[in-house]
Amino acid sequence: MAASSPSSSMLSIPGARSFRSLSKEKIMNSPSSTRQSRKTLTASYVSAVSHKEESSSIEDEMSLSESITYTVHIPASPDHQPMSATATVRSMDPEIATEAEQQQFVVSSAVMMMETEEAGYPQLASARGFMCSVEGCNRNAMQEERGESMLPCDCGYKICHQCHVDALKTSGKCPGCKDQYRSSNSSGDESPRDAAQPRALPLPAGIDSNKMERRLSLLKTKSLKSSKSLDFDHSRWLYATKGTYGYGNAVWPKEDGYAGGNKTGIGAQPDFNDRSRRPLSRKAHVSAGILSPYRLLVLIRMVVLGFFLAWRVKNPNTDAMWLWGMSVVCEIWFAFSWVLDQLPKLFPMNRMTDLQVLKEKFERPSPQNPLGRSDLPGMDVLVSTADPEKEPPLTTCNTILSILAADYPLEKLSCYLSDDGGALLTFEALAEAASFARVWVPFCRKHIIEPRNPETYFLLRGDPTKNKMSSDFVKDRRRVKRAYDEYKVRINGLPDVIQRRSNAYNAKEEMHSTYNEIEKGTDLYEAVKVQKATWMADGTHWPGTWASPGKEHARGDHAAIIQVVLAPPRSEPLMGSADEENLIDTTDIDIRLPMLVYVSREKRPGYDHNKKAGAMNAMVRTSAIMSNGAFILNLDCDHYIYNSEALREAMCFFMDRGGDRICYVQFPQRFEGVDPNDRYANHNTVFFDVNMRALDGLQGPFYVGTGCVFRRTALYGLDPPQHTEHPGSGALTVAREPLDASIVAEAINVISCTCEEKTEWGKRVGWIYGSVTEDVVTGFRMHNRGWRSIYCVTKLDAFRGTAPINLTDRLHQVLRWATGSVEIFFSRNNALFASPRMKFLQRVAYLNVGIYPFTSIFLLVYCFLPAFSLISNQFIVKQLNLAFLVYLLTITLTLCMLALLEVKWSGITLEEWWRNEQFWVIGGTSAHLAAVFQGLLKVIAGVNISFTLTSKSGAEEEGNIYADLYVVKWSSLMIPPISIILTNLIAIAIGSSRQIYSEIPQWSKLLGSVFFSLWVLFHLYPFAKGLMGKGGHIPTIIYVWSGLIAVIISLMFVYISPPAGSVTGTRTAFQFF
């Protein structure tokens, strides 16, 4: 406890008062002001607990009633020998304040310096020093712990503590210089106390601080010197006295270890490594050995690109200015686009969580929570679906089952399924899933099943009994597997069941109508026709969409529906039993299920329902009324929970220090059913493992539409707490109430067509409208208000889903994303208009989102340039000189080295990086180009864009899960890539033939042009392979259309720039050789 200055000798402990802040009346009336001697061994102590019945007389007199005192005890040791009974005890204050400051300033620590008669040991407060300079006083002057004099006045006048208190009480002036005392805090070189310094360890309970035996070890023998050595016998000293090792994680004494007698044993050691005090998450920065070279290469490539572009501008090809001009413009744009993409990657970040700490912090039994009930916040899971034909009900229901079986407190978890199609098939499939969940969820909890999607679990390869030690696991698994197969058969048979049921009820309705008309005396020549309705199992009309669309029962025209399929569970656990009627033995297994709600919002003609964004906002309002979870998980119907602890992973960030400024936690998207070679980069690993990790080091990753946990208040459009403190959100923050008819009625009201009129929904609150990529816009708005997001990559994938492996479906998916980006660029959500709360590099990342589709224009031109060069016998440079080759080599090598380093710190493979590069060219020359024109049509002409829903594969075809990969579906998006491929192939043939039969061949131009043509063809190889199909058959239309375009382009350039040696008598005469 030594200190280098008087001010630093004070212990900074929250909750305590400084000794000088006590009233002078208490100081003057305390026993320490009159008593001349008191034995103590401790150099100083600070009381760590506030207890009136056990405090010492000194502590009682020197502590205010409302203050908290702290104690740090230094026990007896060989260097701290017992003192005589005449030792003087004085309270010394290392920092002296004026009387005015004593009334205003309250510090966070209290120190009581105890004097002893031992001298010569500088760290003891009793070491002899100078005498008090006040006439008639023979006390020692004030000293700090190291024995150095403490001078309360700058004049250097030495004074004891008692005389100093008297001077403050009478005049407040120094007896030496007669000037007023100044507080040591007014000195400029004194550092303020840290109020957050941790508290000192407390003394053992039951120890009286007044007793001498607490602070003094009385000797029981005459000498502790060894007979054979003059050294101090430490072992004998510990045995013969009540000396201890003090307090710490090595030894902790019993509660009465200092109380006297022979009770000197070792007590139960406190939990010094209490995990609840540890952080819930931590950052794992990328190694400097990887990141520093990575940043250096980025800088080098940027400089080289600058010099290269300057060289290209200064050295035009005068023989083919049109070719040179197009290539230079394209290269400048490519450099700009690369910089936008590369700058946000300079600060990649990895994060780790500690689920055990989360459990101990929020679910550990305590005196206030003896049953150990979870204190985690509520979680509402929102799942959206729209069309049961393209999104199979079995896939949707398996996603629901994985949510119901998630490892999260049951009473805090609620699941909502939004059926935007209002289909009875989805509704009854959900009811079947709820029934099967009563078997599946207890089975998962009993045997700790992973993953908890039954379809995925039962299709896992390998030994299912691995790490399973329960004797009835095999029996339970066999029974549950049989129940699941029966459940799948029921789901698959639902369309036929609904149709037969509806036909029967409709026939009955026709008979009743015909009978009623006959009774009225109407002559009927045929049966009365009634509207073909869709009937539920209870014999009532389905209020949603009918199979035969009718008025108020069609897609886009039906009533609002809310059905609580599974009621909210009670707070107390409900244990199962070994009843024979149960499929499996659920003894000691909680069989409760989370709340499950079916939602279908109202749709009427003439209203803009805003597609998926509108459905999500309807669920947000419904969940606010029915469960009001503080956090919201958004999932697509084909993305299920693969890791049952994924929700807890997200909570580690929200509940950690600084988590109140996090708007959402985004998980990476992982896909199943993708072909092993990932021909069309469906896994998208470069984006999810490189770009998103890098954004996590800035303000956070983008929101990508699914697998994201939101803070509800962030969705409501509120600012983060560092900008605006929100006392609450009204009724949206109250606890869950029992469901009744009034609550359901209110929930139905908030999903009506008119609910959002004249409100901020879709503009500032909830998912933002106006773009087909509402996810990116919603995340942008949150970051623009100052929120930050987190990217959570778990060891076991948090979520898994399906991806379109067919080429046409993949291109249409990319087209939708690119069109949304174009819409963002031409809207107020452009990053150029972002607020100052958004970080610069985060703004660059969002700017790149809106700009990248426009790269397709330049990419399309650049892919045709090699063919133009071969046909015209020109090149983008006048000649292949050394400077051009050095620049080209440097740019290529730096790109390759950057790729290697990205692979190193992101964990992806080189093959995945190359597949991403290939599909960047495929998508850029097809879908991105179409997106630019569609986006311009929408912005300029107001033409609305409609997209078809991406189909989700629901079953295998003849046992081949990759059968859809080989299906060729013609699309106009395929025309540009096919034209590029055929044009370059024809151009290579023309250029090679010209040089072979030329009298003076120019091989340098041929090699340069052929190299770039092959570069284009290698990138488009997966596209060409996809066109071949499984049997290598190419549709005839592809030959006709692409061949026609290739011939036209070739003839046009031969006509404009005839080859050398051609017949030029007429404009139309030319020859190839």
Side-chain angles (χ1 to χ4, degrees):
M1 294 181 60
S4 59
S5 64
S7 63
S8 61
S9 64
M10 293 285 290
L11 293 179
S12 179
I13 304 172
R17 289 173 172 259
S18 70
F19 177 49
R20 60 169 184 166
S21 65
L22 301 175
S23 62
K24 289 183 288 185
E25 290 78 10
K26 286 185 175 285
I27 295 177
M28 295 303 299
N29 297 330
S30 63
S32 62
S33 62
T34 56
R35 198 171 302 171
Q36 296 298 320
S37 64
R38 184 169 184 167
K39 294 183 179 180
T40 180
L41 181 61
T42 56
S44 64
Y45 70 89
V46 185
S47 175
V49 289
S50 175
H51 41 146
K52 300 178 181 178
E53 68 276 8
E54 296 179 359
S55 61
S56 65
S57 60
I58 295 179
E59 291 169 335
D60 288 336
E61 294 166 350
M62 300 186 64
S63 322
L64 296 179
S65 60
E66 69 275 8
S67 65
I68 302 177
T69 56
Y70 299 81
T71 301
V72 172
H73 185 77
I74 299 181
S77 69
D79 294 327
H80 296 143
Q81 293 299 311
M83 298 168 292
S84 65
T86 61
T88 303
V89 179
R90 294 188 181 94
S91 298
M92 301 177 62
D93 186 5
E95 295 185 357
I96 307 301
T98 63
E99 182 175 359
E101 290 173 334
Q102 292 179 13
Q103 298 174 0
Q104 298 177 1
F105 183 71
V106 177
V107 294
S108 61
S109 61
V111 177
M112 302 178 66
M113 307 296 294
M114 300 301 176
E115 298 184 32
T116 64
E117 291 184 347
E118 288 292 325
Y121 190 75
Q123 201 165 353
L124 292 179
S126 60
R128 292 294 183 182
F130 295 96
M131 300 297 294
C132 179
S133 301
V134 177
E135 184 178 357
C137 180
N138 58 356
R139 301 184 184 93
N140 287 340
M142 291 190 292
Q143 298 175 337
E144 62 181 21
E145 294 174 299
R146 296 181 302 173
E148 299 180 359
S149 297
M150 295 178 59
L151 305 177
C153 183
D154 293 339
C155 67
Y157 188 79
K158 298 178 177 59
I159 189 172
C160 68
H161 177 265
Q162 187 62 44
C163 294
H164 177 62
V165 173
D166 293 340
L168 289 176
K169 184 177 180 62
T170 55
S171 62
K173 296 182 179 180
C174 173
C177 64
K178 307 302 182 183
D179 291 336
Q180 289 286 342
Y181 280 114
R182 292 186 303 167
S183 171
S184 60
N185 286 337
S186 63
S187 177
D189 57 353
E190 295 293 340
S191 60
R193 296 184 186 87
D194 183 9
Q197 185 175 345
R199 296 183 177 184
L201 292 174
L203 284 173
I207 298 178
D208 187 1
S209 60
N210 275 336
K211 295 183 179 181
M212 180 68 62
E213 295 176 351
R214 186 198 64 162
R215 305 185 302 275
L216 186 63
S217 297
L218 300 179
L219 297 180
K220 302 299 181 180
T221 59
K222 294 183 180 180
S223 175
L224 294 177
K225 301 289 184 180
S226 173
S227 57
K228 298 182 180 179
S229 173
L230 297 178
D231 296 335
F232 186 86
D233 192 345
H234 191 271
S235 301
R236 184 179 178 188
W237 172 80
L238 282 175
Y239 176 79
T241 69
K242 288 186 287 186
T244 70
Y245 288 101
Y247 303 90
N249 63 342
V251 175
W252 191 268
K254 289 183 179 178
E255 292 185 357
D256 53 357
Y258 291 107
N262 296 324
K263 301 178 180 180
T264 59
I266 305 302
Q269 189 175 120
D271 185 8
F272 290 99
N273 298 319
D274 187 3
R275 299 175 68 93
S276 64
R277 297 190 183 98
R278 294 173 53 187
L280 301 176
S281 63
R282 64 183 180 89
K283 299 178 182 179
H285 295 275
V286 178
S287 172
I290 299 175
L291 194 56
S292 296
Y294 182 77
R295 293 171 177 169
L296 180 61
L297 284 173
V298 171
L299 179 61
I300 293 174
R301 195 166 194 267
M302 291 177 64
V303 173
V304 173
L305 279 175
F307 283 109
F308 172 70
L309 294 175
W311 182 87
R312 291 278 284 123
V313 172
K314 294 178 181 179
N315 295 272
N317 184 0
T318 56
D319 296 335
M321 291 295 293
W322 59 274
L323 194 62
W324 169 84
M326 287 192 298
S327 63
V328 169
V329 171
C330 293
E331 289 163 0
I332 292 175
W333 180 266
F334 292 152
F336 171 69
S337 178
W338 178 82
V339 171
L340 288 183
D341 180 69
Q342 195 65 49
L343 284 180
K345 297 181 182 179
L346 297 178
F347 302 94
M349 178 72 67
N350 295 317
R351 297 181 185 271
M352 303 180 67
T353 59
D354 196 330
L355 297 178
Q356 187 62 31
V357 174
L358 181 75
K359 183 175 182 180
E360 293 184 3
K361 194 170 185 178
F362 293 97
E363 297 179 329
R364 185 173 58 178
S366 63
Q368 295 79 16
N369 184 19
L371 298 180
R373 292 179 180 174
S374 176
D375 197 27
L376 291 173
M379 177 76 69
D380 294 338
V381 184
L382 311 183
V383 183
S384 60
T385 184
D387 190 347
E389 295 181 1
K390 295 184 178 181
E391 297 170 330
L394 182 61
T395 301
T396 302
C397 290
N398 283 338
T399 297
I400 299 298
L401 289 172
S402 70
I403 296 170
L404 299 179
D407 184 10
Y408 202 79
L410 299 176
E411 64 277 8
K412 305 292 184 69
L413 184 62
S414 302
C415 180
Y416 297 82
L417 174 64
S418 171
D419 178 17
D420 227 24
L424 179 60
L425 175 59
T426 304
F427 177 81
E428 295 203 352
L430 185 65
E432 289 286 352
S435 177
F436 177 69
R438 304 182 186 279
V439 176
W440 172 250
V441 174
F443 171 71
C444 293
R445 294 173 185 163
K446 179 179 179 180
H447 299 290
I448 316 178
I449 299 300
E450 293 287 352
R452 299 190 176 183
N453 179 327
E455 183 71 18
T456 305
Y457 171 72
F458 289 120
L459 289 178
L460 287 177
R461 297 179 179 179
D463 185 8
T465 63
K466 185 178 180 180
N467 299 327
K468 304 299 180 185
M469 295 176 287
S470 178
S471 58
D472 55 354
F473 169 73
V474 176
K475 178 184 65 176
D476 290 350
R477 186 179 186 276
R478 186 185 305 114
R479 292 181 176 179
V480 174
K481 178 63 167 64
R482 180 182 178 86
Y484 177 65
D485 290 339
E486 295 173 353
Y487 155 78
K488 287 201 299 182
V489 171
R490 292 195 302 270
I491 294 289
N492 295 333
L494 277 177
D496 184 59
V497 170
I498 294 174
Q499 182 179 2
R500 287 189 286 106
R501 180 204 305 154
S502 298
N503 291 339
Y505 277 112
N506 288 329
K508 185 177 180 181
E509 287 290 310
E510 289 183 358
M511 292 177 59
H512 280 292
S513 299
T514 303
Y515 180 75
N516 291 335
E517 292 296 329
I518 293 175
E519 285 186 340
K520 294 178 182 179
T522 306
D523 294 334
L524 300 177
Y525 296 98
E526 59 182 8
V528 177
K529 299 295 183 182
V530 298
Q531 187 176 7
K532 302 296 183 179
T534 299
W535 295 77
M536 294 190 293
D538 61 352
T540 59
H541 282 177
W542 169 243
T545 303
W546 289 354
S548 299
K551 184 179 180 181
E552 297 186 352
H553 292 285
R555 293 183 62 88
D557 184 15
H558 60 80
I561 307 172
I562 289 182
Q563 188 72 25
V564 181
V565 182
L566 292 175
R570 62 183 185 180
S571 58
E572 298 294 334
L574 179 63
M575 300 302 176
S577 63
D579 195 335
E580 294 182 357
E581 296 181 358
N582 296 334
L583 192 63
I584 62 175
D585 183 3
T586 56
T587 305
D588 298 330
I589 302 298
D590 193 351
I591 60 174
R592 295 177 299 162
L593 297 176
M595 183 173 72
L596 176 61
V597 182
Y598 173 89
V599 179
S600 182
R601 57 179 173 147
E602 182 187 17
K603 285 190 173 183
R604 299 301 179 193
Y607 288 90
D608 186 1
H609 302 292
N610 297 296
K611 302 181 179 65
K612 179 182 176 181
M616 296 304 301
N617 285 338
M619 280 196 291
V620 170
R621 296 191 295 271
T622 302
S623 63
I625 294 173
M626 302 186 70
S627 56
N628 195 33
F631 298 94
I632 295 174
L633 170 63
N634 159 228
L635 288 177
D636 287 343
C637 64
D638 62 325
H639 270 73
Y640 66 91
I641 299 180
Y642 188 79
N643 182 354
S644 62
E645 294 183 329
L647 304 184
R648 293 178 177 269
E649 297 272 0
M651 286 299 103
C652 287
F653 297 104
F654 285 116
M655 308 307 292
D656 206 359
R657 179 177 299 177
D660 57 341
R661 295 185 292 274
I662 298 174
C663 57
Y664 60 83
V665 174
Q666 177 67 61
F667 292 85
Q669 293 184 15
R670 307 301 187 195
F671 301 102
E672 296 176 333
V674 178
D675 61 296
N677 294 325
D678 195 11
R679 181 184 296 176
Y680 307 124
N682 292 99
H683 286 300
N684 212 357
T685 51
V686 172
F687 175 76
F688 286 112
D689 290 321
V690 178
N691 297 72
M692 296 287 273
R693 286 177 190 264
L695 289 173
D696 198 22
L698 304 178
Q699 200 172 340
F702 304 139
Y703 166 46
V704 293
T706 183
C708 185
V709 180
F710 285 94
R711 183 184 299 276
R712 185 179 286 270
T713 54
L715 278 174
Y716 291 157
L718 303 179
D719 292 337
Q722 68 264 31
H723 296 294
T724 303
E725 293 294 339
H726 304 289
S729 302
L732 300 177
T733 60
V734 299
R736 175 189 293 185
E737 298 178 358
L739 291 182
D740 54 22
S742 62
I743 293 179
V744 175
E746 185 180 358
I748 293 176
N749 182 60
V750 299
I751 60 174
S752 64
C753 291
T754 59
C755 178
E756 294 183 354
E757 291 183 352
K758 299 180 181 180
T759 67
E760 291 294 320
W761 283 98
K763 301 175 183 177
R764 178 181 174 86
V765 180
W767 271 256
I768 306 301
Y769 302 152
S771 174
V772 294
T773 53
E774 72 287 334
D775 46 4
V776 177
V777 177
T778 302
F780 169 80
R781 290 291 186 89
M782 294 182 183
H783 286 141
N784 199 38
R785 289 194 292 268
W787 291 96
R788 70 153 297 124
S789 57
I790 296 294
Y791 195 54
C792 181
V793 182
T794 57
K795 294 182 179 179
L796 181 65
D797 294 343
F799 308 97
R800 283 193 180 180
T802 58
I805 62 175
N806 179 266
L807 176 59
T808 305
D809 293 338
R810 175 69 166 140
L811 290 178
H812 280 284
Q813 182 186 56
V814 175
L815 173 62
R816 183 173 67 252
W817 296 343
T819 305
S821 296
V822 175
E823 293 173 343
I824 292 173
F825 181 80
F826 289 107
S827 69
R828 62 174 182 171
N829 298 311
N830 192 315
L832 294 175
F833 309 121
S835 70
R837 295 180 181 179
M838 183 177 291
K839 295 182 179 180
F840 173 74
L841 291 182
Q842 189 79 14
R843 186 180 308 213
V844 172
Y846 273 112
L847 182 62
N848 187 43
V849 170
I851 286 180
Y852 83 87
F854 296 95
T855 305
S856 61
I857 300 175
F858 304 92
L859 182 61
L860 181 68
V861 173
Y862 209 73
C863 288
F864 277 111
L865 285 182
F868 296 163
S869 299
L870 288 167
I871 294 174
S872 63
N873 197 28
Q874 298 293 335
F875 195 50
I876 58 176
V877 294
K878 195 167 187 178
Q879 58 182 359
L880 294 176
N881 56 18
L882 181 62
F884 176 77
L885 295 176
V886 170
Y887 279 127
L888 187 63
L889 180 62
T890 305
I891 292 173
T892 305
L893 288 179
T894 52
L895 178 64
C896 294
M897 288 188 287
L898 284 174
L900 291 174
L901 290 176
E902 284 183 358
V903 166
K904 187 70 174 179
W905 63 255
S906 65
I908 65 175
T909 64
L910 274 176
E911 182 181 4
E912 291 172 332
W913 182 87
W914 172 240
R915 291 298 185 198
N916 181 81
E917 291 294 308
Q918 288 179 312
F919 196 78
W920 176 77
V921 176
I922 296 172
T925 55
S926 57
H928 295 176
L929 186 66
V932 172
F933 289 105
Q934 288 187 353
L936 290 175
L937 285 175
K938 180 178 181 181
V939 173
I940 298 174
V943 178
N944 290 326
I945 306 168
S946 61
F947 292 94
T948 57
L949 192 66
T950 304
S951 299
K952 277 74 176 179
S953 178
E956 301 176 11
E957 180 180 337
E958 299 179 357
N960 186 2
I961 61 176
Y962 307 124
D964 200 35
L965 177 68
Y966 308 105
V967 177
V968 180
K969 304 175 185 177
W970 172 251
S971 172
S972 58
L973 297 176
M974 298 179 177
I975 295 176
I978 294 174
S979 302
I980 293 173
I981 293 174
L982 293 180
T983 303
N984 278 274
L985 290 175
I986 294 173
I988 291 175
I990 294 174
S992 301
S993 300
R994 178 188 292 115
Q995 298 302 327
I996 292 174
Y997 293 99
S998 176
E999 296 179 359
I1000 306 176
Q1002 297 177 337
W1003 296 108
S1004 61
K1005 290 184 178 181
L1006 175 65
L1007 291 177
S1009 299
V1010 169
F1011 172 80
F1012 283 109
S1013 288
L1014 293 176
W1015 176 87
V1016 172
L1017 294 174
F1018 285 153
H1019 279 79
L1020 293 175
Y1021 171 73
F1023 176 84
K1025 190 175 181 180
L1027 290 178
M1028 301 296 291
K1030 189 174 183 180
H1033 303 292
I1034 301 177
T1036 306
I1037 185 63
I1038 296 179
Y1039 286 114
V1040 176
W1041 189 281
S1042 303
L1044 180 63
I1045 294 177
V1047 170
I1048 291 174
I1049 294 176
S1050 301
L1051 293 177
M1052 180 181 63
F1053 274 92
V1054 172
Y1055 178 80
I1056 295 173
S1057 180
S1062 63
V1063 179
T1064 58
T1066 61
R1067 293 284 297 175
T1068 57
F1070 64 90
Q1071 62 181 19
F1072 290 116
F1073 314 117

